[in-house]
Amino acid sequence: MSASLRSRASFFHILACFTLLAAPAVAGDRALLIGVGNYQNLPAEFSLPGPANDLIAMQKLLTERLGFDSTSIRVLKDGQATRAEILSSMNGWLVDATKPGDRVYLYFSGHGLQVKDADGDEADGLDEAIAPADIAAGETDWQGAVLDDEIDVVLERLKGRAVTVVIDACHSGTISRSLSEDIAKPIEGARFLPRPDAKPVEQALTRGLRIDLALVDKPKLVEAGVTAWSAAAPYQVAWDDVRLPTADRHGVFTAAFVAGQTGDAADANGNGLTSNAELLEYVKSQSASYCASQEQCGNLDPQLEGKPEALGDSAMVPEKRDADGNGQGAYTIAPNAAVPTYQAASAIDAVGDIIGKSEADDVMLSIDRPTTMKAGEVFKLTVNSRTAGNLLLFDVNSQGKATQIFPNEFAQKITTLAPGVPLTLPDEYYGFDFEASGEGDGIFVALVVSDAVDLSDLAPTARSLKVEVDARETLSEIVARLQKNWTEDLDTRGIHWSVGTLRYRVE
């Protein structure tokens, strides 16, 4: 639908965002799966039972859902995963055996850690790293870790490939007395090795520094096509699921990551396509559920780094599709993808894939007449949010164009929504009505952002109602920014935002 000024000026629309999709396996595709639960030079209390089960689950995911042939997967488990073998396999198996256009998959399950930064490229003076099986403790630091800088070099050599990196570990610098009476001792289930000379620290002193493996503040790698998933945000801890018997344990993140791509549990909008954004929201919800049951867990916000335009792309080939990509919904090949990936052909269906969140009536949209309207009918929209926040309201039409309804050039009262206090548009200050125009389906999209995130470059407060933007592109950029970490509080966490939608039709 469009609304119009009384002069019938055309009105409303939005969208786009992340993934690395399953394609038929080809000779050049390569996957390297690394799982270390037993460490040769560390006491038994540092062992993790989960990585062994994680490797089995990831192999099954790659072969059964992501289209990898078993012969294209190399597995390094425990003693096989030495520093030398990890680096050799990254360079030989992943780089030398592939070419531009191939898929490359790198997975690690085990302990993460930090070591003193040797080249001065880290703001906090520490390099992030993963722990190979032969890591050893020196007097003041770990010896033999695989550094993020070394992984960066490998990723740079993989330019032109469709690269997915998945890390079920963490690099937290704030394992303090709030988690353990002895900072140098392991915490059951925590996938982090404290530094040998670690001392308790005040969490507030180190909050806000960004720690992620390989991709944070390295936009060139993202632009080169690397998509990276990690189990936790900076200064959070990744976990083995300690609720399970020891032999059955797995990584909390890996279990959710696999489950989200195995069935339809992560398909929030039920269109038969599980997008990258939907998969991210699913693993976040499963991780939050785990933390709610564990006193020591705190916050747990899995991360996704990659190109925003891939957020609405399928995380794997949609099931029940024919040769044209049609199944429960209609799908199309995503443009400019390194390997074939799918997205909803309908711009209306794509909204849910890009946003990723299941709607839980946190934001409710209503219209003062039936949602099927005749062209020329006048209407008003009402937004009611359960939480306070800044409102972004768009209208997306079936052609994939979006109009920013709020804020806009006519809105004189751009204030934060109050919980449970409805906002009706247009209000008395507009001086005109919204009027249904055009023909076909459309969707209103309301985003309520509770944290002070600056989105003015993507959604200017005085944008004209006559301006149409590409819905997929605009929504993808906005959602990608809302997926970043919030570091203004004492606890690192995800940005607080919620969504509501309302479909309509103009006849």
Side-chain angles (χ1 to χ4, degrees):
M1 145 173 37
S2 281
S4 70
L5 315 187
R6 279 297 186 183
S7 61
R8 308 272 180 153
S10 159
F11 196 64
F12 306 154
H13 331 333
I14 294 195
L15 261 295
C17 277
F18 271 107
T19 203
L20 223 295
L21 182 57
V26 296
D29 287 351
R30 288 289 185 271
L32 176 61
L33 307 182
I34 306 164
V36 187
N38 296 309
Y39 291 84
Q40 300 169 4
N41 303 312
L42 301 184
E45 57 261 33
F46 283 100
S47 64
L48 295 168
N53 293 322
D54 290 343
L55 288 177
I56 295 171
M58 287 300 298
Q59 283 180 276
K60 187 174 181 180
L61 174 68
L62 288 174
T63 55
E64 296 184 5
R65 297 295 292 129
L66 300 185
F68 281 77
D69 190 273
S70 60
T71 60
S72 69
I73 302 172
R74 175 174 290 183
V75 178
L76 301 179
K77 177 182 176 183
D78 290 338
Q80 300 170 324
T82 62
R83 170 180 161 80
E85 186 56 43
I86 289 174
L87 292 175
S88 174
S89 292
M90 285 182 180
N91 286 288
W93 183 255
L94 295 183
V95 178
D96 296 342
T98 61
K99 62 184 183 304
D102 292 337
R103 289 183 300 160
V104 171
Y105 208 101
L106 174 61
Y107 171 82
F108 176 81
S109 172
H111 280 304
L113 64 145
Q114 293 176 305
V115 296
K116 185 176 180 180
D117 176 28
D119 59 10
D121 67 339
E122 300 288 351
D124 60 355
L126 296 171
D127 268 318
E128 289 69 60
I130 58 175
D134 56 346
I135 195 170
E139 287 187 11
T140 61
D141 219 336
W142 293 108
Q143 306 297 317
V146 177
L147 306 181
D148 64 338
D149 292 344
E150 294 174 300
I151 297 175
D152 287 347
V153 172
V154 173
L155 296 177
E156 288 170 0
R157 293 186 64 202
L158 288 167
K159 184 177 181 180
R161 284 78 158 172
V163 182
T164 301
V165 179
V166 182
I167 305 294
D168 195 347
C170 64
H171 310 88
S172 174
T174 55
I175 302 282
S176 68
R177 290 192 187 276
S178 64
L179 289 178
S180 175
E181 287 302 314
D182 186 343
I183 187 67
K185 293 295 184 182
I187 302 165
E188 184 182 16
R191 295 187 167 197
F192 173 72
L193 292 177
R195 299 181 72 198
D197 65 342
K199 302 294 190 299
V201 295
E202 291 294 332
Q203 292 188 359
L205 295 179
T206 50
R207 295 296 185 188
L209 292 179
R210 302 180 65 191
I211 293 184
D212 278 303
L213 184 66
L215 290 186
V216 165
D217 296 326
K218 298 179 176 70
K220 288 184 179 179
L221 294 178
V222 173
E223 288 303 314
V226 177
T227 298
W229 296 83
S230 53
Y235 294 100
Q236 293 179 348
V237 181
W239 298 90
D240 260 21
D241 192 337
V242 298
R243 298 171 299 185
L244 301 172
T246 301
D248 298 332
R249 288 182 185 175
H250 46 64
V252 171
F253 170 79
T254 296
F257 185 72
V258 171
Q261 297 177 78
T262 302
D264 59 3
D267 182 13
N269 64 350
N271 69 338
L273 183 152
T274 297
S275 68
N276 287 306
E278 288 175 318
L279 179 59
L280 176 62
E281 290 300 326
Y282 178 77
V283 296
K284 281 185 174 182
S285 68
Q286 294 299 301
S287 298
S289 177
Y290 176 79
C291 271
S293 71
Q294 302 296 311
E295 182 178 350
Q296 291 184 317
C297 188
N299 294 325
L300 187 53
D301 296 283
Q303 303 289 291
L304 171 60
E305 294 280 340
K307 293 183 177 180
E309 61 263 30
L311 279 176
D313 294 352
S314 178
M316 64 281 183
V317 176
E319 292 185 332
K320 300 178 182 177
R321 63 185 182 86
D322 59 26
D324 296 321
N326 297 314
Q328 288 177 251
Y331 315 126
T332 186
I333 300 293
N336 305 317
V339 297
T341 61
Y342 294 86
Q343 58 184 211
S346 163
I348 308 303
D349 290 341
V351 170
D353 292 331
I354 293 167
I355 292 173
K357 287 178 176 283
S358 297
E359 294 186 42
D361 293 331
D362 293 323
V363 180
M364 290 159 281
L365 277 169
S366 60
I367 192 170
D368 64 346
R369 61 185 54 257
T371 53
T372 297
M373 293 177 280
K374 300 290 185 182
E377 286 189 316
V378 173
F379 66 92
K380 290 183 182 292
L381 275 173
T382 299
V383 183
N384 199 338
S385 175
R386 288 182 176 175
T387 57
N390 294 317
L391 171 66
L392 295 179
L393 181 60
F394 298 91
D395 176 32
V396 179
N397 68 12
S398 59
Q399 285 74 50
K401 297 298 181 180
T403 301
Q404 183 176 307
I405 305 173
F406 189 88
N408 63 62
E409 59 185 325
F410 296 102
Q412 301 297 310
K413 296 172 62 178
I414 303 176
T415 57
T416 300
L417 289 181
V421 179
L423 172 67
T424 298
L425 301 170
D427 62 22
E428 58 188 87
Y429 296 98
Y430 276 52
F432 59 86
D433 295 318
F434 289 166
E435 188 174 280
S437 65
E439 189 174 286
D441 296 326
I443 187 170
F444 295 112
V445 183
L447 303 172
V448 177
V449 185
S450 299
D451 292 315
V453 181
D454 184 6
L455 298 169
S456 59
D457 57 326
L458 301 175
T461 56
R463 176 167 275 167
S464 170
L465 294 174
K466 297 180 180 180
V467 172
E468 290 186 335
V469 296
D470 183 273
R472 293 180 191 260
E473 179 181 338
T474 301
L475 282 183
S476 296
E477 292 286 350
I478 290 173
V479 172
R481 193 166 299 178
L482 295 177
Q483 290 173 343
K484 302 299 183 184
N485 301 312
W486 183 253
T487 57
E488 300 301 317
D489 299 332
L490 289 181
D491 289 327
T492 297
R493 58 169 175 80
I495 291 170
H496 289 160
W497 62 286
S498 49
V499 62
T501 63
L502 179 67
R503 290 187 180 232
Y504 63 83
R505 182 172 181 80
V506 178
E507 295 181 339

